[in-house]
Amino acid sequence: MSMFGSETTQTETFEVTLTDAEWRAKLSPEQYRVLRGHGTERAGSCALNYEKRTGTFICAGCGNPLFKAGTKFESGTGWPSFDQPLEGAVGTSQDGSFMMTRTEVHCARCGGHLGHVFPDGPPPMGLRYCMNGVAMDFVPAEG
């Protein structure tokens, strides 16, 4: 287990499991590339980076609530950044791509790739969950 949450193993199973064809039918090509292919969207390309309303950011793959809007902050990176996820919403694994080691963040319910977490966020948590906006949807609070 890492300081960022539950550590994934290659044998981990998820509550929401679809075939590759089902994921391709459910998701847009860009969502599929990021969520299922561990891709990264271009910085500044997603409207969710600019979302300021009260509400909840959810997984675009399965609807799992991930982050409350109040945990979002402006990191200057071009991707939506949060200082902490909802309890039990995400898992982590080590990502050794691009000749560096990073901590990948995935949806705990479907395993979809969301982004990475870094130890350079604001107090009190000190973490920056740098998420791909295309991997999420936003549900505004009622009222």
Side-chain angles (χ1 to χ4, degrees), residues 39-46 48-50 72-82 114-115 118 128-134 136:
T40 300
E41 69 189 3
R42 195 178 82 248
S45 66
C46 183
L48 288 187
N49 191 43
Y50 309 102
K72 186 173 181 282
F73 67 95
E74 179 51 58
S75 66
T77 62
W79 289 280
S81 296
F82 304 85
L114 301 170
F118 302 97
R128 175 175 52 94
Y129 286 82
C130 187
M131 303 291 97
N132 288 286
V134 72
M136 300 182 296

Side-chain angles (χ1 to χ4, degrees), residues 49-137:
N49 191 43
Y50 309 102
E51 181 59 64
K52 306 261 190 244
R53 295 174 291 172
T54 302
T56 305
F57 292 84
I58 65 171
C59 176
C62 70
N64 185 34
L66 302 169
F67 300 93
K68 285 292 189 190
T71 65
K72 186 173 181 282
F73 67 95
E74 179 51 58
S75 66
T77 62
W79 289 280
S81 296
F82 304 85
D83 65 2
Q84 75 180 45
L86 292 166
E87 188 171 338
V90 303
T92 60
S93 60
Q94 291 307 302
D95 175 359
S97 63
F98 301 109
M99 296 175 29
M100 64 178 108
T101 300
R102 300 176 292 172
T103 302
E104 177 191 0
V105 177
H106 64 269
C107 174
R109 188 167 174 235
C110 72
H113 171 76
L114 301 170
H116 294 86
V117 61
F118 302 97
D120 61 1
M125 303 307 286
L127 299 176
R128 175 175 52 94
Y129 286 82
C130 187
M131 303 291 97
N132 288 286
V134 72
M136 300 182 296
D137 289 321

